[in-house]
Amino acid sequence: GQQVMQIPQYQHVQEGEDFTTYCNSSTTLSNIQWYKQRPGGHPVFLIQLVKSGEVKKQKRLTFQFGEAKKNSSLHITATQTTDVGTYFCAGWEYSGAGSYQLTFGKGTKLSVIP
Amino acid sequence: DTEVTQTPKHLVMGMTNKKSLKCEQHMGHRAMYWYKQKAKKPPELMFVYSYEKLSINESVPSRFSPECPNSSLLNLHLHALQPEDSALYLCASSHEGHTTDTQYFGPGTRLTVL
């Protein structure tokens, strides 16, 4: 079955430093989505990548989708305390007969030291 | 209105109880989802309803029984649960249930099974 690995599991950064989390799938993904979950909160959709090699930016956040559509990354420039939370990638894989399987990565928990 | 509401916020039940979790959205979405999230783990997809029909059932035990009375409501009926079923149960909705849809999550119901 599909496996989606996400590293690192935890990341502690000083405010102002950059942060990157990586997602790797064992199979080719149809598309990948990124979510942020604040402590005690629920996942909030950030962005979706569909095309091979796609790069999207949202202010200080940069998202990339690999050429083979098996890996993705989220990079935050100059982290702020408001960036604290767990970042999840979620990949949809076509599993045949018109069906798709959704798998979340284990998440990267970001702590920002003021 | 981009809100998904869930009731109750917290639920404590015994292993012989029968209870229901409720989810509601008024965004006109035609797909609704149930997820289970254990502490420090990613959400795990349980069920997907598309146009009020069950389209994905991720091999969930029969003690969890989903119901979609109409396109705005989604229930999860619980019966004879085990302590290991204690978790945050998240509901989400999306436009039509395509893999490229944005999913909007509710705040969740925190379930404790004694």
Side-chain angles (χ1 to χ4, degrees):
Chain A
Q2 175 183 274
Q3 292 186 35
V4 176
M5 308 298 291
Q6 192 173 350
I7 56 169
Q9 191 174 356
Y10 301 96
Q11 185 78 58
H12 305 276
V13 299
Q14 202 76 36
E15 187 173 17
E17 291 182 340
D18 292 356
F19 158 76
T20 305
T21 173
Y22 301 90
C23 212
N24 289 289
S25 171
S26 57
T27 57
T28 302
L29 298 172
S30 169
N31 57 295
I32 195 160
Q33 297 173 340
W34 285 91
Y35 292 84
K36 177 184 179 181
Q37 187 170 18
R38 293 180 185 273
H42 57 275
V44 174
F45 175 83
L46 293 176
I47 211 156
Q48 173 173 253
L49 304 167
V50 179
K51 299 177 182 176
S52 169
E54 190 169 14
V55 178
K56 287 188 176 180
K57 292 190 176 185
Q58 284 181 352
K59 297 183 180 178
R60 294 179 295 105
L61 279 60
T62 301
F63 303 83
Q64 293 188 330
F65 202 10
E67 292 291 340
K69 300 182 73 172
K70 285 188 173 183
N71 56 72
S72 182
S73 65
L74 157 59
H75 179 81
I76 302 178
T77 304
T79 54
Q80 299 174 358
T81 54
T82 52
D83 295 326
V84 164
T86 300
Y87 293 84
F88 292 102
C89 60
W92 285 97
E93 178 201 20
Y94 182 65
S95 53
S99 297
Y100 288 83
Q101 181 182 355
L102 174 66
T103 304
F104 275 74
K106 291 189 185 300
T108 296
K109 185 175 181 179
L110 173 63
S111 300
V112 178
I113 306 163
Chain B
D1 181 7
T2 58
E3 189 179 9
V4 176
T5 59
Q6 290 187 245
T7 56
K9 288 187 178 180
H10 301 273
L11 178 63
V12 179
M13 61 186 290
M15 289 188 286
T16 58
N17 292 158
K18 283 186 181 181
K19 296 287 184 182
S20 295
L21 309 183
K22 296 184 183 302
C23 175
E24 190 167 4
Q25 56 87 15
H26 295 288
M27 294 179 276
H29 288 171
R30 302 311 302 268
M32 296 185 78
Y33 310 72
W34 278 117
Y35 288 86
K36 173 183 177 181
Q37 186 175 28
K38 301 280 277 185
K40 300 183 180 181
K41 298 290 184 183
E44 296 175 30
L45 184 62
M46 300 173 72
F47 303 104
V48 181
Y49 273 84
S50 181
Y51 289 85
E52 295 140 63
K53 291 185 179 178
L54 185 64
S55 61
I56 294 179
N57 178 344
E58 293 286 5
S59 302
V60 178
S62 59
R63 57 186 184 268
F64 295 92
S65 175
E67 178 197 18
C68 190
N70 60 58
S71 60
S72 300
L73 293 173
L74 184 67
N75 299 320
L76 186 63
H77 302 298
L78 314 172
H79 174 55
L81 294 194
Q82 303 296 311
E84 58 265 29
D85 295 322
S86 298
L88 179 67
Y89 287 84
L90 294 160
C91 172
S93 72
S94 74
H95 183 51
E96 289 192 327
H98 297 310
T99 60
T100 51
D101 284 355
T102 298
Q103 292 188 40
Y104 294 86
F105 283 83
T109 293
R110 194 162 296 281
L111 173 68
T112 303
V113 182
L114 301 177

